[in-house]
Amino acid sequence: MLKAFAQAREGARFVRGEDYLGTESGGVLVLDDAERLGEARQVALFNAFNERAFELIVVSAHAAPRDVALRRDLATRLATGLTYRLLALTDDEKHHALAAHARARGFALSDEVAAYLLTHARRDMPSLVQALDALDRYSLETGRAITVPLLKAALQPELT
């Protein structure tokens, strides 16, 4: 998700925690896995934060700043910004998200097709959306309605 944000934001730099050098400045810093920052790099990020070296800093970690093994001074600085806890979608939420994506593409997704996708395809949302998009294209190419048999025919290589 952070990579997508960095790609969508002009001038943003995506850096993994273990790769952060502390010499970067300007623009937008997108830092993934802050818990992997070494002591010296934590100090560098703390200083960059205090010096306002970046227009925006977006940081991810496996938990909230107060619960990550970071220097307390850095953790308190990071906690001053917005903090979101992202949870994986449940199967029901994935089903609703896929149905909404289908509606946006102009077709209705039946419960049977959604259930088949959720039990036979890769379960991460990018893969599910990609499968649904491929199914939509295949349906348009063949002129057939979106059904489980069409899904099996369209996605058989991806499902094995």
Side-chain angles (χ1 to χ4, degrees), residues 36-82:
R36 295 186 179 189
L37 289 168
E39 178 77 18
R41 293 178 180 176
Q42 289 182 44
V43 170
L45 183 59
F46 175 79
N47 290 335
F49 191 99
N50 285 337
E51 295 165 4
R52 301 181 191 272
F54 298 98
E55 173 187 332
L56 175 68
I57 300 175
V58 179
V59 178
S60 79
H62 69 273
R66 71 173 184 273
D67 300 326
V68 177
L70 292 173
R71 294 171 47 101
R72 286 297 97 198
D73 55 359
L74 177 59
T76 58
R77 291 301 187 279
L78 295 177
T80 63
L82 294 175

Side-chain angles (χ1 to χ4, degrees), residues 128-154:
L128 288 168
V129 168
Q130 184 179 11
L132 194 60
D133 290 347
L135 177 61
D136 183 30
R137 282 191 303 276
Y138 190 67
S139 170
L140 292 172
E141 290 169 3
T142 61
R144 294 172 54 195
I146 294 178
T147 60
V148 172
L150 183 73
L151 174 61
K152 289 178 181 179

Side-chain angles (χ1 to χ4, degrees), residues 9 13 25 30 52-53 60 97 102 120 123 126 145-146 149:
R9 179 77 187 244
R13 285 184 304 283
S25 66
V30 180
R52 301 181 191 272
S60 79
H120 293 89
R123 300 180 50 76
I146 294 178

Side-chain angles (χ1 to χ4, degrees), residues 5-119:
F5 175 82
Q7 290 171 351
R9 179 77 187 244
E10 188 174 324
R13 285 184 304 283
F14 175 85
V15 181
R16 286 183 165 58
E18 63 268 17
D19 298 328
Y20 177 70
L21 300 176
T23 58
E24 301 90 343
S25 66
V28 177
L29 173 65
V30 180
L31 181 69
D32 194 17
D33 296 327
E35 64 272 10
R36 295 186 179 189
L37 289 168
E39 178 77 18
R41 293 178 180 176
Q42 289 182 44
V43 170
L45 183 59
F46 175 79
N47 290 335
F49 191 99
N50 285 337
E51 295 165 4
R52 301 181 191 272
F54 298 98
E55 173 187 332
L56 175 68
I57 300 175
V58 179
V59 178
S60 79
H62 69 273
R66 71 173 184 273
D67 300 326
V68 177
L70 292 173
R71 294 171 47 101
R72 286 297 97 198
D73 55 359
L74 177 59
T76 58
R77 291 301 187 279
L78 295 177
T80 63
L82 294 175
T83 302
Y84 295 99
R85 181 177 178 204
L86 301 180
L87 301 173
L89 297 178
T90 65
D91 283 353
D92 192 45
E93 292 167 333
K94 287 178 184 179
H95 180 131
H96 289 297
L98 290 172
H101 184 72
R103 279 192 305 279
R105 289 187 66 103
F107 69 95
L109 182 67
S110 72
D111 290 340
E112 295 79 23
V113 171
Y116 190 90
L117 267 174
L118 288 169
T119 56

